[in-house]
Amino acid sequence: MSEDHTHVQEFFGVRAADWDRKFPADGPAFATAVGEFGLRPGDLVLDAGCGTGRALTALRAAVGPSGTVIGADLTPQMLAAARRAGRDAEGALLLADVARLPLRDGALDAVFAAGLIAHLPDPGSNLRELARVVRPGGRLALFHPIGRAALAARHGRELTPDDLRAEHNLGPVLSASGWDMTSYADEDHRFLVLATRRP
């Protein structure tokens, strides 16, 4: 396991038990983002870096009983918190690294990734891996329940031009990774980027 993985697991592992209590008002933002994602009944969708599974209920509602929902996360404590919250009833939980997913090429219709992009050690390579497991024409959502400026303020820092999530940086990285950005929203109350898997 790389140092990046160890750092991510240590950071989130000690915070898992209190994660949902720390951000109790995020539920509606997740539901709204999933609603804008354009999932269809019967779709197979991955929640990449699912954490405590806060998106799983909305994803299940979007794909219906005929669809499949998978939540993958690198941190065992986060998945344990998801199970304690009963969210494993909405989808299968998988301990996995999104940089090396145990899924076949083109297996998925869509990937939803909340708060993931800032924790990817190699964004270009990692986004290519997400593209690998999504069928041509499939969809990607990069989401955070608050915008870049609000998140930076929360962490006591300022936005810089080299921020990966800035539109002028993220668009080319997505394009080089097999995705076409179709919409970009960075507002105080949410960050939501949608992209389509190129053929």
mmCIF file of all heavy atoms in Angstrom, residues 97-114:
data_model
loop_
_atom_site.group_PDB
_atom_site.id
_atom_site.type_symbol
_atom_site.label_atom_id
_atom_site.label_comp_id
_atom_site.label_asym_id
_atom_site.label_seq_id
_atom_site.Cartn_x
_atom_site.Cartn_y
_atom_site.Cartn_z
ATOM 1 N N ASP A 97 -9.739 0.224 -4.056
ATOM 2 C CA ASP A 97 -9.031 1.423 -4.467
ATOM 3 C C ASP A 97 -9.579 1.843 -5.829
ATOM 4 O O ASP A 97 -9.564 1.046 -6.774
ATOM 5 C CB ASP A 97 -7.540 1.091 -4.558
ATOM 6 C CG ASP A 97 -6.670 2.257 -4.979
ATOM 7 O OD1 ASP A 97 -7.208 3.352 -5.231
ATOM 8 O OD2 ASP A 97 -5.453 2.063 -5.053
ATOM 9 N N VAL A 98 -10.066 3.082 -5.945
ATOM 10 C CA VAL A 98 -10.616 3.512 -7.232
ATOM 11 C C VAL A 98 -9.537 3.615 -8.306
ATOM 12 O O VAL A 98 -9.859 3.749 -9.489
ATOM 13 C CB VAL A 98 -11.384 4.846 -7.114
ATOM 14 C CG1 VAL A 98 -12.565 4.705 -6.163
ATOM 15 C CG2 VAL A 98 -10.478 5.979 -6.700
ATOM 16 N N ALA A 99 -8.267 3.539 -7.912
ATOM 17 C CA ALA A 99 -7.181 3.539 -8.896
ATOM 18 C C ALA A 99 -6.999 2.177 -9.549
ATOM 19 O O ALA A 99 -6.370 2.068 -10.605
ATOM 20 C CB ALA A 99 -5.868 3.967 -8.242
ATOM 21 N N ARG A 100 -7.572 1.129 -8.937
ATOM 22 C CA ARG A 100 -7.477 -0.237 -9.478
ATOM 23 C C ARG A 100 -8.753 -0.979 -9.121
ATOM 24 O O ARG A 100 -8.769 -1.820 -8.219
ATOM 25 C CB ARG A 100 -6.253 -0.970 -8.894
ATOM 26 C CG ARG A 100 -4.927 -0.452 -9.387
ATOM 27 C CD ARG A 100 -3.763 -1.296 -8.871
ATOM 28 N NE ARG A 100 -3.752 -1.438 -7.414
ATOM 29 C CZ ARG A 100 -3.268 -0.533 -6.575
ATOM 30 N NH1 ARG A 100 -2.768 0.602 -7.028
ATOM 31 N NH2 ARG A 100 -3.293 -0.737 -5.264
ATOM 32 N N LEU A 101 -9.810 -0.682 -9.833
ATOM 33 C CA LEU A 101 -11.108 -1.261 -9.511
ATOM 34 C C LEU A 101 -11.214 -2.703 -9.995
ATOM 35 O O LEU A 101 -10.799 -3.017 -11.111
ATOM 36 C CB LEU A 101 -12.219 -0.421 -10.149
ATOM 37 C CG LEU A 101 -12.443 0.947 -9.502
ATOM 38 C CD1 LEU A 101 -13.265 1.845 -10.417
ATOM 39 C CD2 LEU A 101 -13.120 0.796 -8.141
ATOM 40 N N PRO A 102 -11.786 -3.576 -9.178
ATOM 41 C CA PRO A 102 -11.959 -4.975 -9.576
ATOM 42 C C PRO A 102 -13.210 -5.167 -10.426
ATOM 43 O O PRO A 102 -14.094 -5.968 -10.114
ATOM 44 C CB PRO A 102 -12.062 -5.694 -8.229
ATOM 45 C CG PRO A 102 -12.724 -4.686 -7.339
ATOM 46 C CD PRO A 102 -12.203 -3.342 -7.788
ATOM 47 N N LEU A 103 -13.299 -4.387 -11.505
ATOM 48 C CA LEU A 103 -14.450 -4.416 -12.401
ATOM 49 C C LEU A 103 -13.960 -4.550 -13.837
ATOM 50 O O LEU A 103 -12.899 -4.033 -14.185
ATOM 51 C CB LEU A 103 -15.269 -3.124 -12.266
ATOM 52 C CG LEU A 103 -15.882 -2.828 -10.881
ATOM 53 C CD1 LEU A 103 -16.445 -1.411 -10.855
ATOM 54 C CD2 LEU A 103 -16.964 -3.848 -10.539
ATOM 55 N N ARG A 104 -14.761 -5.208 -14.657
ATOM 56 C CA ARG A 104 -14.348 -5.391 -16.047
ATOM 57 C C ARG A 104 -14.542 -4.093 -16.841
ATOM 58 O O ARG A 104 -15.292 -3.208 -16.440
ATOM 59 C CB ARG A 104 -15.117 -6.541 -16.690
ATOM 60 C CG ARG A 104 -16.598 -6.349 -16.778
ATOM 61 C CD ARG A 104 -17.294 -7.530 -17.452
ATOM 62 N NE ARG A 104 -18.726 -7.439 -17.319
ATOM 63 C CZ ARG A 104 -19.512 -6.675 -18.057
ATOM 64 N NH1 ARG A 104 -18.993 -5.895 -18.988
ATOM 65 N NH2 ARG A 104 -20.815 -6.661 -17.866
ATOM 66 N N ASP A 105 -13.883 -4.007 -17.980
ATOM 67 C CA ASP A 105 -13.998 -2.840 -18.853
ATOM 68 C C ASP A 105 -15.460 -2.629 -19.247
ATOM 69 O O ASP A 105 -16.163 -3.577 -19.627
ATOM 70 C CB ASP A 105 -13.179 -3.038 -20.126
ATOM 71 C CG ASP A 105 -11.682 -3.094 -19.861
ATOM 72 O OD1 ASP A 105 -11.277 -2.965 -18.692
ATOM 73 O OD2 ASP A 105 -10.924 -3.266 -20.838
ATOM 74 N N GLY A 106 -15.901 -1.387 -19.185
ATOM 75 C CA GLY A 106 -17.243 -1.033 -19.643
ATOM 76 C C GLY A 106 -18.376 -1.634 -18.841
ATOM 77 O O GLY A 106 -19.500 -1.704 -19.326
ATOM 78 N N ALA A 107 -18.121 -2.028 -17.602
ATOM 79 C CA ALA A 107 -19.144 -2.712 -16.803
ATOM 80 C C ALA A 107 -20.248 -1.777 -16.318
ATOM 81 O O ALA A 107 -21.366 -2.214 -16.069
ATOM 82 C CB ALA A 107 -18.493 -3.398 -15.606
ATOM 83 N N LEU A 108 -19.941 -0.491 -16.168
ATOM 84 C CA LEU A 108 -20.854 0.442 -15.518
ATOM 85 C C LEU A 108 -21.530 1.386 -16.505
ATOM 86 O O LEU A 108 -20.981 1.704 -17.563
ATOM 87 C CB LEU A 108 -20.090 1.296 -14.501
ATOM 88 C CG LEU A 108 -19.277 0.567 -13.437
ATOM 89 C CD1 LEU A 108 -18.469 1.575 -12.622
ATOM 90 C CD2 LEU A 108 -20.169 -0.263 -12.536
ATOM 91 N N ASP A 109 -22.686 1.871 -16.106
ATOM 92 C CA ASP A 109 -23.351 2.945 -16.842
ATOM 93 C C ASP A 109 -22.918 4.315 -16.337
ATOM 94 O O ASP A 109 -22.969 5.291 -17.087
ATOM 95 C CB ASP A 109 -24.873 2.824 -16.698
ATOM 96 C CG ASP A 109 -25.413 1.556 -17.332
ATOM 97 O OD1 ASP A 109 -25.259 1.409 -18.563
ATOM 98 O OD2 ASP A 109 -25.955 0.716 -16.591
ATOM 99 N N ALA A 110 -22.491 4.377 -15.074
ATOM 100 C CA ALA A 110 -22.189 5.688 -14.499
ATOM 101 C C ALA A 110 -21.337 5.551 -13.245
ATOM 102 O O ALA A 110 -21.361 4.516 -12.574
ATOM 103 C CB ALA A 110 -23.486 6.420 -14.159
ATOM 104 N N VAL A 111 -20.602 6.636 -12.943
ATOM 105 C CA VAL A 111 -19.837 6.751 -11.702
ATOM 106 C C VAL A 111 -20.187 8.080 -11.057
ATOM 107 O O VAL A 111 -20.113 9.131 -11.697
ATOM 108 C CB VAL A 111 -18.316 6.689 -11.951
ATOM 109 C CG1 VAL A 111 -17.551 7.002 -10.669
ATOM 110 C CG2 VAL A 111 -17.900 5.321 -12.488
ATOM 111 N N PHE A 112 -20.551 8.019 -9.782
ATOM 112 C CA PHE A 112 -20.798 9.197 -8.965
ATOM 113 C C PHE A 112 -19.646 9.287 -7.979
ATOM 114 O O PHE A 112 -19.316 8.306 -7.310
ATOM 115 C CB PHE A 112 -22.129 9.057 -8.224
ATOM 116 C CG PHE A 112 -22.529 10.264 -7.428
ATOM 117 C CD1 PHE A 112 -23.215 11.305 -8.030
ATOM 118 C CD2 PHE A 112 -22.242 10.357 -6.072
ATOM 119 C CE1 PHE A 112 -23.598 12.428 -7.298
ATOM 120 C CE2 PHE A 112 -22.616 11.465 -5.334
ATOM 121 C CZ PHE A 112 -23.298 12.507 -5.952
ATOM 122 N N ALA A 113 -18.998 10.446 -7.893
ATOM 123 C CA ALA A 113 -17.828 10.590 -7.024
ATOM 124 C C ALA A 113 -17.963 11.871 -6.208
ATOM 125 O O ALA A 113 -17.771 12.964 -6.732
ATOM 126 C CB ALA A 113 -16.546 10.608 -7.853
ATOM 127 N N ALA A 114 -18.289 11.729 -4.938
ATOM 128 C CA ALA A 114 -18.459 12.880 -4.057
ATOM 129 C C ALA A 114 -17.195 13.105 -3.245
ATOM 130 O O ALA A 114 -16.750 12.208 -2.525
ATOM 131 C CB ALA A 114 -19.645 12.657 -3.125
#
